Amino acid sequence: MLSRDGVISHPIVCVGFADWDAETWSNQQHLMSRLAAAGAPVLFVESLGLRRPQLGSGRDLRRILRRLLTGIRPPRRRGNVSVLSPLVLPLHGRPGVRALNAYLLRRQVSSAVRRLGMTHPTLWAYVPQAEALLPVLGPARIVYHCVDDIASQEGIDEASFNAAEARFVPRADLVLASAPPLAERMRSLSEHVVLMPNVADTELFSTALDPGPLDPGLAELPAPRIVFVGALAARKVDFDLVAAIASARPDWSVVLVGPVGLGDPSTDVGALEAMPNVHLLGVRRQRELPAILRGAAAGLIPYRSSRLTASIFPMKLYEFLSAGVPLVACGLPSVRGIDGVELVDGAAEAVVALERAIGATGQRRRELSAAAAGHSWSARLAEIDAVFPR
């Protein structure tokens, strides 16, 4: 239960790093939608376009066109959340453009805040470029929520991002970090850091243990089915590893569920699509995922080992475990030591670990789901409320 003098007692202006209607939701949409449902007025400011667009990418061009159309409009409603699409230039490495973007952002957000009747809101920032809003919002409190090493991503101007973070984080009243390496880095900038790994809609995903239908695209595939759910982006997902696993065990169905190229438009999955036992099912809404995981023998998170993945604690981890599906993961040191997740290095280790996971009994799966139940969004909201600055 959230206290009335806590996190929901003031309006929230949230500056995110994704669009609200993205094909897959991350921490920011899940958390803000739940805070809004609990009673907090929320204005969600969509991505500021920190990654340089690839003009040869149809996805990026469509996104630029969509932003041009929505960037001149007032906030729109998405459930209990007001969503603003700011009109900014995705060239943050240039000082003149950064200054122009800050001016545009202040004008658009201050107009939206007036329209919504917000005064002295909480500024909840997933990116440090939210510092531009401090003069016009006069926020009652500042929260910096660090869920990724954004500066390490290709196309981000790392120098300007790190400089903005060094200015903004010390001003935050509360800093939330989703993985130990992120918390360690934030503690070099702030004394108010709390480690809060990502959680899941455990109640929804636990229904995968109940009798019910399988996803139609999955049901026609032979068992055992090894399932990955998430964005198929080459900068994170090791497609060579996936191919090696599929080649080693042609009797397995390796199932990939999610959008191709989200955040990495140059992604090419042609080689995987050519493999007879690799199946790309496309995007599924979150409420449809239990019907996928109900038919999964094991889960796979085949990430590359990189600076980016070293700081990731993926939301999908507790989604799989809530569904009773044991996981094999690569490139994710932040999840070490979690029951039901086996960390491996390379295809040979992955195949052996997946064979063990496939053998999990029904009792073992129920135990995994029960253990994951404590990592729910309701529990996380209560934890945030407990540390929220009054």
Side-chain angles (χ1 to χ4, degrees), residues 145-156:
H145 205 147
C146 184
V147 297
D148 261 325
D149 187 355
I150 295 176
S152 71
Q153 298 179 20
E154 186 176 352
I156 300 292

Side-chain angles (χ1 to χ4, degrees), residues 74-150:
R76 62 192 187 277
R77 293 293 289 181
R78 289 292 184 268
N80 296 317
V81 178
S82 297
V83 178
L84 178 69
S85 302
L87 191 60
V88 292
L89 301 177
L91 299 169
H92 296 268
R94 301 179 182 180
V97 174
R98 288 202 300 273
L100 175 60
N101 283 340
Y103 169 77
L104 292 173
L105 186 64
R106 286 193 291 267
R107 288 288 301 268
Q108 294 168 88
V109 172
S110 60
S111 175
V113 164
R114 286 194 303 271
R115 180 185 292 268
L116 296 171
M118 293 181 169
T119 56
H120 301 296
T122 295
L123 176 57
W124 198 300
Y126 283 86
V127 292
Q129 286 73 16
E131 65 176 342
L133 298 176
L134 293 174
V136 295
L137 291 183
R141 59 196 52 75
I142 302 168
V143 177
Y144 186 60
H145 205 147
C146 184
V147 297
D148 261 325
D149 187 355
I150 295 176

Side-chain angles (χ1 to χ4, degrees), residues 140-183:
R141 59 196 52 75
I142 302 168
V143 177
Y144 186 60
H145 205 147
C146 184
V147 297
D148 261 325
D149 187 355
I150 295 176
S152 71
Q153 298 179 20
E154 186 176 352
I156 300 292
D157 184 74
E158 183 172 0
S160 66
F161 189 97
N162 288 339
E165 205 169 56
R167 293 189 300 268
F168 184 73
V169 174
R171 303 187 65 172
D173 302 290
L174 175 63
V175 179
L176 303 176
S178 64
L182 298 176

Side-chain angles (χ1 to χ4, degrees), residues 144 146-149 165 169 175-196 310-312 333-334:
Y144 186 60
C146 184
V147 297
D148 261 325
D149 187 355
E165 205 169 56
V169 174
V175 179
L176 303 176
S178 64
L182 298 176
E184 183 179 355
R185 183 162 60 84
M186 290 298 101
R187 288 188 179 112
S188 70
L189 300 172
S190 170
E191 299 177 351
H192 309 296
V193 179
V194 180
L195 174 64
M196 287 195 177
S311 297
I312 290 178
S334 292

Side-chain angles (χ1 to χ4, degrees), residues 7-302:
V7 67
I8 61 171
S9 61
H10 293 278
I12 296 171
V13 173
C14 176
V15 182
F17 58 78
D19 291 345
W20 185 261
D21 295 320
E23 291 165 296
T24 59
W25 271 19
S26 62
N27 178 294
Q28 56 204 305
Q29 294 102 328
H30 282 290
L31 181 56
M32 290 301 134
S33 64
R34 285 166 170 81
L35 288 174
V42 174
L43 171 65
F44 184 83
V45 182
E46 293 187 309
S47 167
L48 304 181
L50 299 180
R51 179 180 61 80
R52 290 189 303 275
Q54 297 181 19
L55 297 182
S57 161
R59 182 190 293 271
D60 277 5
L61 290 174
R62 288 191 297 272
R63 186 169 179 275
I64 291 171
L65 177 60
R66 185 167 60 248
R67 182 57 63 88
L68 288 173
L69 294 174
T70 58
I72 58 175
R73 298 174 184 170
R76 62 192 187 277
R77 293 293 289 181
R78 289 292 184 268
N80 296 317
V81 178
S82 297
V83 178
L84 178 69
S85 302
L87 191 60
V88 292
L89 301 177
L91 299 169
H92 296 268
R94 301 179 182 180
V97 174
R98 288 202 300 273
L100 175 60
N101 283 340
Y103 169 77
L104 292 173
L105 186 64
R106 286 193 291 267
R107 288 288 301 268
Q108 294 168 88
V109 172
S110 60
S111 175
V113 164
R114 286 194 303 271
R115 180 185 292 268
L116 296 171
M118 293 181 169
T119 56
H120 301 296
T122 295
L123 176 57
W124 198 300
Y126 283 86
V127 292
Q129 286 73 16
E131 65 176 342
L133 298 176
L134 293 174
V136 295
L137 291 183
R141 59 196 52 75
I142 302 168
V143 177
Y144 186 60
H145 205 147
C146 184
V147 297
D148 261 325
D149 187 355
I150 295 176
S152 71
Q153 298 179 20
E154 186 176 352
I156 300 292
D157 184 74
E158 183 172 0
S160 66
F161 189 97
N162 288 339
E165 205 169 56
R167 293 189 300 268
F168 184 73
V169 174
R171 303 187 65 172
D173 302 290
L174 175 63
V175 179
L176 303 176
S178 64
L182 298 176
E184 183 179 355
R185 183 162 60 84
M186 290 298 101
R187 288 188 179 112
S188 70
L189 300 172
S190 170
E191 299 177 351
H192 309 296
V193 179
V194 180
L195 174 64
M196 287 195 177
N198 281 319
V199 292
D201 187 342
T202 57
E203 185 175 356
L204 170 67
F205 281 89
S206 67
T207 63
L209 289 171
D210 300 334
L214 300 183
D215 178 273
L218 185 88
E220 63 186 24
L221 303 177
R225 308 177 187 95
I226 311 301
V227 175
F228 167 80
V229 176
L232 294 167
R235 64 183 171 85
K236 282 204 302 188
V237 179
D238 189 339
F239 295 145
D240 291 336
L241 176 66
V242 175
I245 293 170
S247 295
R249 292 304 302 264
D251 54 318
W252 291 354
S253 294
V254 179
V255 184
L256 309 176
V257 180
V260 175
L262 184 64
D264 187 0
S266 63
T267 297
D268 182 2
V269 294
L272 290 179
E273 289 178 315
M275 300 188 71
N277 63 325
V278 177
H279 309 276
L280 280 70
L281 298 191
V283 179
R284 296 293 188 274
R285 297 182 183 276
Q286 190 180 44
R287 65 175 180 270
E288 299 171 320
L289 292 178
I292 290 280
L293 298 186
R294 185 175 287 124
L300 176 66
I301 306 181

